[in-house]
Amino acid sequence: MFDGACGEKEAVTLMMPAGPRALDPLFQPEVVAVIGASRTRGGIGSEIFHNIQSAGYRGRVIPVNRGAAVVDGVPAYPSVSAIPVHVDLAVIAVPCDVVEAVVDECIAARVGALLVISAGFSETGESGRARQVALLGKVRAAGIRMVGPNCMGVINTDPAVRLNATFAPIYPPEGRLALSTQSGALGLAILDYASRLNIGFSTFVSVGNKADVSGNDLIEYWRDDPRTDAILLYLESFGNPRRFGELAREVGRRKPIVAVKAGRSRAGARAAASHTGALASSDAVVDALFKQSGVIRTGTIEELFDVAALVAHQPIPRGPRVAILTNAGGPGIMAADACEGHGLELPALGEKTLASLREFLPAAASLRNPVDMLASAPAAHYERAIRLLLEDEGIDSLLVIFIPPLVTEADAVASAIVAGVRGTSGKPVLASFTSAHGAPPALGHVPCYVFPESAALALARVVSHGAWLRKPIGVIPEPAGVNPDLARVVMDRAIITSSGWLLPQDVQQLLGAVGIQCAPVEVVPDEDGAVRAGRRFGFPVVVKAIGPEIVHKTELGGVALGLVDDEAVRVACGDMRQRLGHRLTGFVVQPMMTGGIDMLVGVAYDQTFGAVVACATGGTLAELFADVALRLPPLTDIDAADMVNDLRGAALLRGYRGAPAVDGAALADTVLRVSALSGICPEIRELDINPLRVLPRGVCALDARVRIERPPVPGG
């Protein structure tokens, strides 16, 4: 079939537009072929074909079935190549062992995009993975895009399209949210849950195995989609996390991205030899990626939609100051506790606001924040109070709580809330109606929550996003004194002789090449050498044990501080030799340094995310306190400053309980230098500067470890 046309076809498809517009055949097809549609309902292909028709698809849908002339009243064709019109989207729902042949037919027929529903690929093991690799090779060579395999399908609610190319029986209402899910089964539940909440979508995609079209591709597409205001993601894995971060950082400034990442409790805490490696668990890195790129992370699907309802219909808060309006004291107190527990503030109301509230609220009402109007409050009081609270310059957002009493109807209060919000200052308003009947339809675009705690958590998430939006974007600086060529000389020399922990002198040279000051050290083989080094430095000194197997020196009794003379050095060295035996190969001697605050700066390598930079409260208790901030390099100046400020230990840097302040800016500068080093030397698998002594002026690395791995041999 198509003899002599394949070469021409390949030339045409390889010239198809790259980037987000390449997904147009997927979302806006004029002709859809369902391959595997049968006359018997219940099969995947027949259900997809039925759903496309039932949703009122505006284009033409064609069934492909080798054994049927008609499917569900529509003429069928035995193959895609037999269809007399151009097919924009082919939906493939056939057994996995024939998918490749069907894809070959689609490529020959110049189909615009593929939606492979069929399972039996990488999710099943090595043989399935091989099938998926072969499938992807064909698709990439043809220059077309593919969703799946092992996916649920695609929905576009655009009235001009009305496409439900899924086997889900639910066609959601039109809305301004776009959703990507890696789980087909969860996708079914999500559509059902969203429909019950009356939450609408612009588009919905179940990406399945993400062989070709990924979440990154979809974010790029939705960035320019005029029908999408916010993006929701259910993630189980990352294909290219750094690209995800770049896209999210760009797109999130225009359209909020809200994500649930499954697998938080997975035992991804790999056995790491350094403090940095132990602190950088996989889920902590996910948190860092989301925080760095402005993604709103939620813990559950329910919370995902709690946040989505807010970002889809309300403005982003200008700050954390919340007013609570209620007709019941208990829920108001619970809401206040939840708000403050999530970092929100409940400021006192302005005198003008208080005076206006007193004009119509009963004397028994509480005018503190929360404002409790009492159970007898009529709908009119809600409208009037809402206007006053939104006009208060000290308030950034408003949470309205209604507990149905006998005297006031929920529908009337809902209408009053909408009337109170109308024409006000553009501050977000949330409602909580504790009722078995749910949110009254009259609330319209005011998001409503069954319990005030859920509303408070959703608001806190969005307030944090607003704070991220208000931050400068930042720049990736080039710190003075960084010498990439020297760093590469040290690394290239070390990698020839070592694939493991570097020698102390190599570590010092490597850090020095990027301008990180290190305490002077002398490496000696024995006790006599340690004594001579101590005399040269001048007492008191520090002695540390070294050896390939000695990583956490303190825990092994391999550090002695404040040694004041020759005898103290000999005794300390002897104790270490007796304790560590053959593991000890020598000693490091340093002058004793006093003052300052001990912090940690390092790099860990994650199999998914690559290099991860860490800044933490340091010393021997670094892992116990787990006071750590992580980011993915390259870091901007804003990233580095945020890392320092995010630490609980930052209070120590500013001077705690009368202690002198130290140079926090120098700590942030060191973070940037370590970030630069991770890019210059990708062989680094663990880097641990602990302690990094932060002084009143500058910093000094008192101890550091670096573990490297040789890069893989090309073609090996």
Side-chain angles (χ1 to χ4, degrees):
M1 55 187 174
F2 289 96
D3 289 341
C6 289
E8 178 186 350
K9 192 270 172 186
E10 288 173 3
V12 171
T13 54
L14 286 172
M15 288 165 43
M16 287 180 65
R21 295 280 62 83
L23 298 185
D24 284 347
L26 178 72
F27 289 112
Q28 302 173 46
E30 294 183 7
V31 178
V32 177
V34 180
I35 305 167
S38 68
R39 289 175 294 186
T40 305
R41 291 287 304 277
I44 296 293
S46 60
E47 291 305 307
I48 293 173
F49 184 74
H50 174 78
N51 289 344
I52 292 175
Q53 289 187 300
S54 298
Y57 174 52
R58 302 305 189 197
R60 181 179 175 185
V61 57
I62 300 172
V64 176
N65 186 308
R66 296 191 183 276
V70 175
V71 172
D72 207 9
V74 179
Y77 293 86
S79 66
V80 173
S81 58
I83 297 175
V85 296
H86 177 260
V87 174
D88 298 297
L89 174 63
V91 182
I92 301 174
V94 298
C96 62
D97 55 351
V98 298
V99 167
E100 192 172 339
V102 169
V103 168
D104 286 338
E105 285 189 359
C106 291
I107 291 171
R110 307 181 186 183
V111 168
L114 304 176
L115 180 56
V116 182
I117 307 295
S118 310
F121 291 87
S122 65
E123 80 280 4
T124 63
E126 286 303 320
S127 61
R129 189 172 292 111
R131 278 195 295 270
Q132 184 166 305
V133 168
L135 192 65
L136 180 60
K138 291 176 180 291
V139 170
R140 291 276 170 86
I144 61 178
R145 303 308 305 266
M146 174 182 70
V147 171
N150 185 36
C151 70
M152 193 181 94
V154 171
I155 294 173
N156 184 357
T157 64
D158 186 344
V161 180
R162 293 191 62 85
L163 175 67
N164 181 12
T166 75
F167 51 83
I170 299 165
Y171 184 72
E174 183 187 2
R176 310 291 300 175
L177 299 173
L179 172 66
S180 167
T181 173
Q182 269 186 263
S183 168
L186 191 58
L188 287 167
I190 286 172
L191 287 175
D192 180 60
Y193 182 67
S195 294
R196 284 190 281 117
L197 295 176
N198 198 33
I199 290 177
F201 293 105
S202 60
T203 41
F204 167 94
V205 185
S206 163
V207 293
N209 293 357
K210 299 193 304 182
D212 178 39
V213 172
S214 67
N216 290 352
D217 295 311
L218 295 170
I219 291 172
E220 199 169 4
Y221 179 85
W222 288 324
R223 173 187 60 197
D224 302 318
D225 180 19
R227 297 180 58 250
T228 296
D229 291 338
I231 297 168
L232 312 183
L233 305 173
Y234 169 78
L235 301 170
E236 294 176 353
S237 63
F238 291 94
N240 185 340
R242 292 182 186 274
R243 178 58 179 155
F244 173 89
E246 292 169 2
L247 278 169
R249 191 181 286 217
E250 174 202 349
V251 177
R253 292 192 173 273
R254 291 189 284 159
K255 301 182 179 184
I257 299 174
V258 191
V260 172
K261 170 61 174 67
R264 300 185 76 127
S265 61
R266 184 169 39 220
R270 58 204 174 281
S274 69
H275 289 291
T276 303
L279 291 169
S281 70
S282 291
D283 193 63
V285 179
V286 173
D287 263 341
L289 173 63
F290 286 171
K291 187 166 189 176
Q292 190 172 0
S293 53
V295 174
I296 304 172
R297 185 176 192 178
T298 65
T300 64
I301 296 295
E302 182 180 16
E303 188 190 340
L304 177 82
F305 282 104
D306 285 345
V307 173
L310 181 52
V311 298
H313 300 302
Q314 296 291 312
I316 301 296
R318 299 169 189 166
R321 302 168 302 176
V322 184
I324 298 173
L325 178 67
T326 181
N327 67 340
I333 294 169
M334 293 170 65
D337 289 345
C339 285
E340 293 193 345
H342 294 300
L344 302 176
E345 301 170 9
L346 272 78
L349 301 176
E351 286 301 323
K352 180 181 177 182
T353 304
L354 291 172
S356 298
L357 289 171
R358 289 190 190 102
E359 291 178 2
F360 64 94
L361 291 182
S366 172
L367 301 189
R368 296 177 179 234
N369 191 5
V371 176
D372 181 5
M373 301 187 297
L374 306 180
S376 59
H381 283 188
Y382 270 95
E383 179 179 349
R384 195 169 173 184
I386 286 169
R387 287 189 177 277
L388 292 171
L389 293 172
L390 290 176
E391 289 169 0
D392 192 312
E393 293 182 358
I395 297 301
D396 300 310
S397 55
L398 174 62
L399 170 56
V400 182
I401 300 171
F402 175 70
I403 304 295
L406 295 176
V407 294
T408 309
E409 292 187 359
D411 287 340
V413 171
S415 297
I417 291 173
V418 172
V421 171
R422 191 178 298 121
T424 53
S425 57
K427 299 175 183 178
V429 177
L430 303 80
S432 176
F433 277 54
T434 304
S435 168
H437 302 294
L443 275 173
H445 287 165
V446 175
C448 187
Y449 305 84
V450 175
F451 298 109
E453 295 94 335
S454 300
L457 178 55
L459 181 59
R461 300 287 193 219
V462 181
V463 165
S464 294
H465 181 67
W468 177 81
L469 288 172
R470 289 189 294 275
K471 285 180 184 176
I473 294 175
V475 296
I476 300 172
E478 297 181 6
V482 172
N483 188 335
D485 293 337
L486 178 57
R488 283 308 321 169
V489 167
V490 176
M491 182 57 66
D492 293 342
R493 183 185 66 221
I495 206 75
I496 293 173
T497 59
S498 171
S499 185
W501 295 100
L502 297 187
L503 297 173
Q505 53 267 40
D506 289 333
V507 173
Q508 286 228 325
Q509 290 179 5
L510 196 61
L511 296 183
V514 292
I516 298 175
Q517 179 184 346
C518 299
V521 302
E522 190 167 332
V523 180
V524 299
D526 53 27
E527 288 83 339
D528 289 339
V531 169
R532 289 192 294 271
R535 291 173 180 170
R536 280 190 290 273
F537 284 132
F539 297 105
V541 295
V542 177
V543 174
K544 302 174 183 177
I546 57 173
E549 300 176 33
I550 301 173
V551 180
H552 296 305
K553 305 179 187 70
T554 301
E555 289 88 331
L556 297 173
V559 177
L561 306 174
L563 305 178
V564 296
D565 55 26
D566 293 3
E567 181 61 21
V569 170
R570 289 189 183 278
V571 170
C573 291
D575 288 345
M576 292 180 197
R577 189 176 297 281
Q578 184 175 8
R579 187 177 298 113
L580 299 172
H582 69 280
R583 290 179 290 175
L584 187 146
T585 59
F587 303 96
V588 166
V589 183
Q590 297 173 273
M592 184 74 184
M593 182 177 291
T594 58
I597 301 296
D598 285 344
M599 304 298 286
L600 176 154
V601 176
V603 174
Y605 184 85
D606 185 277
Q607 290 295 330
T608 298
F609 299 95
V612 181
V613 177
C615 180
T617 302
T620 59
L621 300 179
E623 290 171 48
L624 176 63
F625 292 137
D627 182 23
V628 61
L630 306 172
R631 296 292 188 276
L632 274 64
L635 303 184
T636 68
D637 52 348
I638 301 299
D639 290 332
D642 282 348
M643 290 177 74
V644 173
N645 292 329
D646 283 351
L647 299 175
R648 296 189 300 276
L652 301 174
L653 304 175
R654 294 188 284 267
Y656 185 68
R657 291 194 171 182
V662 294
D663 196 346
L667 174 59
D669 177 71
T670 304
V671 171
L672 290 170
R673 293 176 186 276
V674 167
S675 171
L677 180 58
S678 72
I680 297 167
C681 300
E683 299 91 342
I684 294 173
R685 289 299 176 265
E686 292 182 76
L687 184 156
D688 213 32
I689 306 176
N690 184 32
L692 176 73
R693 184 67 55 83
V694 185
L695 303 166
R697 185 165 184 175
V699 297
C700 185
L702 303 188
D703 199 0
R705 299 275 291 178
V706 176
R707 183 174 68 84
I708 61 175
E709 287 183 5
R710 292 177 179 149
V713 178

